């Protein structure tokens, strides 16, 4: 069993920055690939980005590429989502997930956090 807890969400103006954290409870955190997803009101869950167990070669959805950065600190059992140049359309609940490998599909992740709200005002 792996427990994931997101934090760092809040209200920010367009053009601003926000850093989300996802803390994992398991000592085997470094064995998992980590993904970030988001869900806006009335929308389906959307892939944001993911990172391998080693932290190399993170990849991103086209909508956030160049603005968002994923990193991880296995010693801290934590993965981060740095969000810059935020836009109102980035407003959503953001979720982190853990799975055996990097995937665009949420169904391939085994564990999910509870989500944290990000609201971007114009």
């Amino acid at each position: 069993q792996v427990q994931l807890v997101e934090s760092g969400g809040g209200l920010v103006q367009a053009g601003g920055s926000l850093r989300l954290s996802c803390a994992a409870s398991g000592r085997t955190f470094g064995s998992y690939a980590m993904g970030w997803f988001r869900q806006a009101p009335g929308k389906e869950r959307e892939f944001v980005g993911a990172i391998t167990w080693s932290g190399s070669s993170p990849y991103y959805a086209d909508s956030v590429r160049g603005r968002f950065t994923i990193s991880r600190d296995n010693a801290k059992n934590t993965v981060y989502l740095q969000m810059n140049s935020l836009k109102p359309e980035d407003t959503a609940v953001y979720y982190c997930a853990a799975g055996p490998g990097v995937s665009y599909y949420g169904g391939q992740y085994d564990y999910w956090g509870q989500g944290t709200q990000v609201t971007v005002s114009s």
Side-chain angles (χ1 to χ4, degrees), residues 1-4 24-35 50-56 72-74 77-79 97-103 108-112:
Q1 185 71 35
V2 175
Q3 292 181 331
L4 305 174
S25 63
R27 294 190 299 170
T28 59
F29 172 77
S31 299
Y32 291 92
M34 299 296 299
I51 191 168
T52 67
W53 64 270
S54 67
S56 64
R72 68 188 298 165
D73 186 343
N74 290 345
N77 289 344
T78 302
V79 64
V102 169
S103 177
Q108 295 187 334
Y109 292 85
D110 298 316
Y111 306 100
W112 292 81

Side-chain angles (χ1 to χ4, degrees), residues 11-36:
L11 176 64
V12 64
Q13 291 188 10
S17 297
L18 205 60
R19 190 190 196 192
L20 305 184
S21 298
C22 175
S25 63
R27 294 190 299 170
T28 59
F29 172 77
S31 299
Y32 291 92
M34 299 296 299
W36 284 97

Side-chain angles (χ1 to χ4, degrees), residues 20-107:
L20 305 184
S21 298
C22 175
S25 63
R27 294 190 299 170
T28 59
F29 172 77
S31 299
Y32 291 92
M34 299 296 299
W36 284 97
F37 294 79
R38 66 187 183 185
Q39 188 167 19
K43 303 287 187 178
E44 293 187 351
R45 184 177 58 195
E46 176 188 16
F47 173 79
V48 175
I51 191 168
T52 67
W53 64 270
S54 67
S56 64
S57 301
Y59 72 106
Y60 306 93
D62 290 342
S63 60
V64 306
R65 189 176 184 87
R67 299 188 297 120
F68 291 11
T69 302
I70 297 173
S71 62
R72 68 188 298 165
D73 186 343
N74 290 345
K76 299 288 292 183
N77 289 344
T78 302
V79 64
Y80 305 96
L81 181 66
Q82 178 67 47
M83 305 183 293
N84 299 325
S85 301
L86 282 162
K87 305 174 181 179
E89 49 263 48
D90 294 318
T91 296
V93 177
Y94 283 71
Y95 300 89
C96 67
V102 169
S103 177
Y104 290 101
Y105 302 103

